Amino acid sequence: TRFSREHSQDENRAEGVKHIKSATDVLALKRGSPDELAMLFLALARAAGFHADAMAVVNRNRDIFQQNFLDSNQLDDVIVLVTVDGKERAFDPGERYMTYGQLDWIHAMAGGLREQDGHTAVAESPGQGYKDTIIQRVADITIAPDGTVTGSATIVCTGAKAVYWRQKALEGDDVEMKKDFDDQMQPDLPPGVIVKTDHFLGLNTENTNFMARMKVSGSLGTATGKHIFLPVSLFAAGGHELFSSSHRQEPIDLHYPYMEKDQVTLHIPDGFSVESVPRSEERRVGKECRSRW
């Protein structure tokens, strides 16, 4: 019911609902708050014979869990830990559009209290890998002799990014959703390039990738005489360095790791040829993560 309207007392009375007291009530109503759905999932898992424990966690978008601060009000949401084939997996049934074994980023690597062997223990929920959220940006661009461009782009998102846009779509209409998507894309593009979202695919289901089809126009390059100078990257030309300062005093939260994949096809004007391109480069930034051009 986080993304739907509240039912009035008269509506509940007409449906014979007085007060939700158990998982049976939630199942019968086929609706509930995020925590009520999580507890229903917990009850169903146990009824099916699985070992399952509840865990109350802090919402990382709001705060950081302080285990020495003895106040349970800092715990926001409930997730469920289920042992499947001998391995404990975390589930987030109270969050809309979560897939199997996926946690919303606000509940990943989040501190809290969990059930454990009949007792309560301080714990941290599992984290996410950068392969869990992939953003693939594909563009097909035609360049005119004066540097103006026309074309299309497709943005494909999985994991936390897809969940973000699907949940956001529940809060507004299609026009507002397109504007929000354009506004988030525009700052990363070259100054003269404009993108407009045409339509979305996979917006209302978690079983497929979320996709946005966009139209691209404007001016990509600078034409000087017989040359057109183009930016190295279409999708990151307007971006800024995340860590421009060599000294930082306060901790930062990057929400979740992710992988970006860009593929841009440029159709150059007749009579033009490519004079030079950036050299291929590979940078190792960790044991698992690398960047390549």
Side-chain angles (χ1 to χ4, degrees):
T1 54
R2 176 182 296 174
F3 298 104
S4 62
R5 67 176 180 85
E6 293 291 336
H7 286 65
S8 68
Q9 291 184 353
D10 291 338
E11 288 177 307
N12 287 334
R13 192 178 300 113
E15 296 179 18
V17 178
K18 295 182 178 180
H19 184 68
I20 295 178
K21 298 180 179 180
S22 67
T24 302
D25 296 334
V26 179
L27 184 62
L29 287 173
K30 293 182 173 55
R31 71 171 188 264
S33 69
D35 285 352
E36 288 170 345
L37 293 177
M39 297 304 288
L40 170 61
F41 181 87
L42 175 69
L44 291 172
R46 288 176 173 174
F50 291 93
H51 178 82
D53 294 326
M55 181 175 179
V57 296
V58 68
N59 179 334
R60 276 183 47 222
N61 200 32
R62 184 188 67 83
D63 207 348
I64 297 175
F65 179 64
Q66 305 289 338
Q67 69 178 73
N68 295 323
F69 181 48
L70 305 182
D71 187 351
S72 61
N73 288 327
Q74 63 179 309
L75 301 174
D76 300 292
D77 303 312
V78 176
I79 63 173
V80 182
L81 306 173
V82 184
T83 301
V84 183
D85 297 329
K87 181 180 179 180
E88 188 173 78
R89 297 179 181 272
F91 295 86
D92 211 346
E95 287 296 321
R96 187 77 175 267
Y97 297 125
M98 288 295 121
T99 57
Y100 179 87
Q102 179 188 13
L103 290 177
D104 196 340
W105 75 265
I106 62 176
H107 300 148
M109 296 184 68
L113 299 177
R114 62 162 294 175
E115 296 177 295
Q116 191 171 56
D117 300 326
H119 302 283
T120 301
V122 174
E124 184 177 274
S125 61
Q128 297 175 325
Y130 69 93
K131 293 182 180 180
D132 293 329
T133 298
I134 298 176
I135 304 167
Q136 185 169 6
R137 304 177 292 195
V138 180
D140 190 279
I141 306 296
T142 299
I143 307 173
D146 61 355
T148 57
V149 295
T150 56
S152 62
T154 301
I155 315 299
V156 183
C157 302
T158 66
K161 198 67 173 179
V163 171
Y164 168 81
W165 286 113
R166 284 169 176 150
Q167 291 186 348
K168 194 170 185 62
L170 297 172
E171 301 172 352
D173 57 21
D174 187 60
V175 174
E176 184 179 1
M177 175 72 174
K178 289 180 180 179
K179 181 180 183 303
D180 290 341
F181 199 88
D182 293 345
D183 290 345
Q184 191 169 116
M185 285 289 300
Q186 197 66 56
D188 290 335
L189 300 173
V193 175
I194 299 173
V195 292
K196 292 291 183 183
T197 301
D198 185 70
H199 63 278
F200 298 105
L201 298 171
L203 186 60
N204 302 315
T205 175
E206 68 273 15
N207 298 322
T208 59
N209 293 337
F210 165 74
M211 301 175 63
R213 303 281 194 184
M214 313 187 77
K215 296 179 180 179
V216 182
S217 61
S219 178
L220 176 62
T222 302
T224 58
K226 298 181 178 180
H227 292 80
I228 301 177
F229 296 92
L230 303 176
V232 174
S233 172
L234 172 67
F235 293 109
H240 60 277
E241 293 290 338
L242 290 177
F243 308 106
S244 57
S245 175
S246 59
H247 179 69
R248 186 172 298 278
Q249 294 181 333
E250 301 297 334
I252 59 174
D253 187 346
L254 296 179
H255 293 181
Y256 53 87
Y258 60 91
M259 177 190 295
E260 287 184 342
K261 298 180 179 181
D262 292 348
Q263 178 182 326
V264 179
T265 301
L266 297 176
H267 302 279
I268 61 177
D270 292 338
F272 281 70
S273 62
V274 178
E275 184 174 278
S276 63
V277 296
R279 62 186 178 88
S280 179
E281 181 179 350
E282 181 176 294
R283 296 181 184 178
R284 295 184 179 273
V285 294
K287 293 182 179 180
E288 296 182 350
C289 185
R290 65 180 61 179
S291 299
R292 185 181 182 90
W293 293 271

